[in-house]
């Protein structure tokens, strides 16, 4: 007789973290960060160590000194031994040496599960440091301080951490919610034009699939965004982050156990284009092109009308984004491999988000390669007819 004994395990864990929007975070008169650190019941002063994006250090004079002074004013004994500066941009996710360096910092400073690792930087640095934090001691408390538009409105407020491996975007990674996220708009003033612009594509993405009024607002504020109006950008970041986090908390699949990734609209091509260009284009630039491709595909499938398509494409162009790239025309067969990699990342059925209207996404389970090629040609023709903005 076959012997079987069954135990069923079932439990739920509630994740809660604050996303705080502030300015001058490391001004000693701003206690926002300290308040987060001290909020635990039965508070006892924890150990703290900090990882900073080199791009931040290079663009803000005496930044490390300012950080040390801030913590010392609040009676935390922080020195340069508690701080690691690492390379920013996608390079940090392409080499395990940076993960090793963060793990060594955690080990040398005896950071445990009641300590804090603070990551200050762009989305790639937050991804990499978050991955190290998630695997050290099976998870140490991570505070994210995003410093770019894209990390403040999208990647930095979510629950994912990662690094690239086997030549594939985000092949290694974890779902590990941060302890808190603190957005400081002062960092935005240090960004170059490309990094200021790049994160706007993620706002357009979430507006297109979830909120037509937000897309209308972006469309009406392109000039202010081009003029680097910080107040307008703060509004864009908050609205985008709210839509992003609402999806994570309320749509039933925060850890992507299914086969759908709605917030990765436009990303199947974007991730592959990043790889094929050796990350010479930023993530946000690649996302803009990927969205342009998928909304054109939606139009050719007669899911959206021509006026809607042209509004979207002209919005990207008005903001200074390219909507085409030589890899689309010269290496389309390689770009198409991104579909398999996109499906492989989750497994199950291929699920791609298209548009049925501005503000309304629609999932499909296959794409036609010939129609994708036609979409590429449509985008090139559109640019030829709109040379004043292309």
């Amino acid at each position: 007789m076959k012997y079987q004994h069954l135990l069923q395990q079932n439990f739920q864990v509630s994740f809660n973290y604050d996303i705080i929007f502030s300015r001058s975070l490391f001004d000693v008169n701003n206690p926002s960060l300290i308040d987060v650190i001290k909020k635990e019941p039965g508070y006892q002063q924890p150990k703290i160590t900090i990882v900073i994006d080199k791009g931040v250090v290079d663009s803000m004079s005496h930044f490390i000194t300012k950080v040390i002074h801030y913590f010392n004013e609040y009676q935390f004994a922080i020195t340069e031994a508690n701080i690691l500066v690492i390379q920013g941009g996608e390079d940090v996710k392409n080499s395990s040496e940076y993960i090793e360096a963060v793990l060594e910092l955690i080990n040398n400073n005896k950071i445990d599960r009641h300590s804090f690792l603070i990551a200050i930087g762009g989305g790639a640095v937050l991804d990499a440091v978050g991955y190290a934090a998630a695997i050290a001691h099976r998870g140490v408390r991570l505070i994210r301080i995003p410093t770019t538009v894209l990390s403040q409105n999208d990647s930095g407020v979510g629950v994912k951490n990662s690094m690239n491996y086997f030549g594939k975007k985000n092949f290694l990674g974890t779902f590990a919610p941060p302890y808190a996220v603190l957005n400081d708009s002062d960092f935005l003033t240090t960004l170059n034009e490309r990094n200021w612009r790049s994160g706007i594509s993620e706002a357009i993405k979430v507006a297109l699939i979830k909120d037509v009024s937000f897309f209308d607002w972006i469309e009406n504020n392109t000039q202010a965004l081009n003029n680097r109006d910080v107040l307008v950008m703060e509004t864009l970041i908050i609205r985008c982050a709210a839509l992003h986090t609402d999806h994570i908390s309320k749509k039933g699949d925060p850890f992507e156990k299914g086969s759908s990734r709605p917030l990765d609209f436009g990303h199947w091509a974007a991730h592959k284009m990043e790889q094929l260009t050796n990350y010479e284009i930023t993530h946000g630039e690649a996302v803009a092109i990927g969205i342009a491709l998928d909304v054109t595909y939606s139009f050719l499938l007669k899911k959206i009308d021509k006026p809607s398509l042209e509004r979207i494409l002209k919005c990207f162009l008005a903001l200074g984004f390219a909507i085409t790239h030589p890899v689309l025309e010269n290496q389309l067969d390689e770009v198409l491999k991104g579909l398999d990699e996109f499906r492989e990342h989750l497994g199950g059925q291929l699920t791609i988000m298209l548009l049925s209207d501005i503000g309304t996404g629609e999932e499909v389970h296959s794409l036609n390669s010939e129609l994708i090629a036609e979409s590429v040609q449509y985008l090139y023709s559109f640019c030829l007819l709109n040379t004043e903005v292309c």
Side-chain angles (χ1 to χ4, degrees):
M1 176 182 289
K2 182 179 179 180
Y3 177 77
Q4 177 177 298
H5 187 87
L6 174 66
L7 294 175
Q8 287 193 324
Q9 175 70 290
N10 183 19
F11 61 88
Q12 294 181 333
V13 179
S14 177
F15 290 99
N16 300 280
Y17 60 93
D18 292 332
I19 302 168
I20 298 166
F21 299 87
S22 186
R23 298 173 186 155
S24 303
L25 199 59
F26 290 102
D27 186 311
V28 294
N29 295 312
N30 184 348
S32 298
L33 177 55
I34 298 301
D35 289 345
V36 166
I37 292 169
K38 290 184 174 182
K39 75 175 184 178
E40 283 287 299
Y43 168 79
Q44 294 182 345
Q45 191 175 74
K47 295 188 286 289
I48 294 173
T49 192
I50 305 164
V51 181
I52 308 175
D53 189 323
K54 184 176 183 295
V56 174
V57 174
D58 290 345
S59 63
M60 302 184 74
S61 59
H62 310 295
F63 181 69
I64 293 176
T65 301
K66 187 172 186 176
V67 170
I68 291 172
H69 175 68
Y70 176 84
F71 280 105
N72 288 345
E73 283 291 305
Y74 286 98
Q75 311 304 312
F76 287 85
I78 298 294
T79 70
E80 291 195 13
N82 306 112
I83 297 174
L84 172 68
V85 178
I86 60 174
Q87 181 66 42
E90 203 68 18
D91 285 349
V92 76
K93 293 175 61 175
N94 288 330
S95 173
S96 59
E97 68 177 281
Y98 298 110
I99 304 297
E100 293 285 344
V102 176
L103 292 172
E104 186 174 357
L105 179 78
I106 292 169
N107 180 60
N108 291 346
N109 286 277
K110 301 187 184 304
I111 298 300
D112 54 39
R113 295 188 196 175
H114 296 274
S115 305
F116 287 98
L117 177 63
I118 300 175
I120 305 171
V125 165
L126 299 184
D127 272 2
V129 176
Y131 178 63
I135 62 176
H137 299 301
R138 298 192 179 98
V140 298
R141 296 192 291 195
L142 175 72
I143 294 175
R144 294 181 186 152
I145 301 180
T147 60
T148 62
V149 174
L150 196 148
S151 57
Q152 290 192 5
N153 73 2
D154 187 271
S155 61
V157 302
V159 299
K160 295 191 278 192
N161 309 282
S162 65
M163 64 179 292
N164 306 329
Y165 214 70
F166 298 128
K168 296 177 180 179
K169 180 91 169 179
N170 301 331
F171 183 85
L172 297 179
T174 62
F175 291 98
Y179 186 84
V181 181
L182 293 99
N183 280 335
D184 178 354
S185 57
D186 284 1
F187 287 114
L188 305 180
T189 64
T190 71
L191 300 175
N192 62 29
E193 291 300 322
R194 290 180 72 190
N195 285 321
W196 171 273
R197 180 188 306 117
S198 285
I200 301 173
S201 65
E202 295 285 5
I204 294 173
K205 170 204 75 178
V206 75
L208 287 175
I209 63 173
K210 288 184 173 293
D211 189 344
V212 63
S213 68
F214 187 28
F215 180 78
D216 293 342
W217 181 91
I218 296 170
E219 195 175 35
N220 291 330
N221 282 277
T222 54
Q223 192 59 53
L225 291 166
N226 289 341
N227 291 339
R228 296 179 67 109
D229 186 317
V230 174
L231 293 177
V232 172
M233 184 60 87
E234 284 178 335
T235 300
L236 178 141
I237 287 169
I238 292 170
R239 289 188 68 170
C240 181
L243 286 167
H244 187 107
T245 54
D246 179 77
H247 177 87
I248 291 171
S249 63
K250 296 179 181 177
K251 298 306 177 183
D253 193 17
F255 295 162
E256 295 178 356
K257 294 185 181 297
S259 58
S260 174
R261 296 154 62 185
L263 292 177
D264 279 344
F265 172 49
H267 283 53
W268 74 265
H271 285 169
K272 197 63 183 177
M273 284 188 290
E274 286 180 83
Q275 179 196 341
L276 292 171
T277 61
N278 294 315
Y279 300 96
E280 290 176 3
I281 57 175
T282 69
H283 178 68
E285 290 166 344
V287 167
I289 298 167
I291 292 172
L293 181 64
D294 283 354
V295 297
T296 303
Y297 187 96
S298 300
F299 164 69
L300 294 177
L301 274 182
K302 297 181 171 48
K303 290 182 177 295
I304 60 172
D305 59 23
K306 189 171 183 178
S308 296
L309 171 65
E310 293 195 349
R311 279 185 66 193
I312 296 165
L313 297 182
K314 287 181 178 179
C315 183
F316 276 120
L317 293 171
L319 287 162
F321 284 104
I323 57 172
T324 60
H325 192 280
V327 296
L328 282 180
E329 195 165 40
N330 301 330
Q331 295 179 262
L332 184 57
D333 287 346
E334 290 298 314
V335 174
L336 289 171
K337 291 179 181 177
L339 283 170
D340 285 336
E341 292 176 12
F342 193 81
R343 184 205 57 77
E344 178 188 310
H345 195 59
L346 269 68
Q349 188 177 27
L350 174 68
T351 304
I352 298 291
M353 179 67 73
L354 297 178
L355 286 191
S356 60
D357 200 356
I358 294 178
T360 306
E362 177 183 334
E363 292 182 339
V364 301
H365 301 293
S366 64
L367 294 184
N368 181 284
S369 58
E370 292 182 0
L371 199 58
I372 293 173
E374 188 178 339
S375 300
V376 171
Q377 293 308 310
Y378 188 99
L379 287 173
Y380 274 93
S381 298
F382 184 86
C383 275
L384 288 174
L385 292 171
N386 293 270
T387 52
E388 73 280 3
V389 286
C390 278

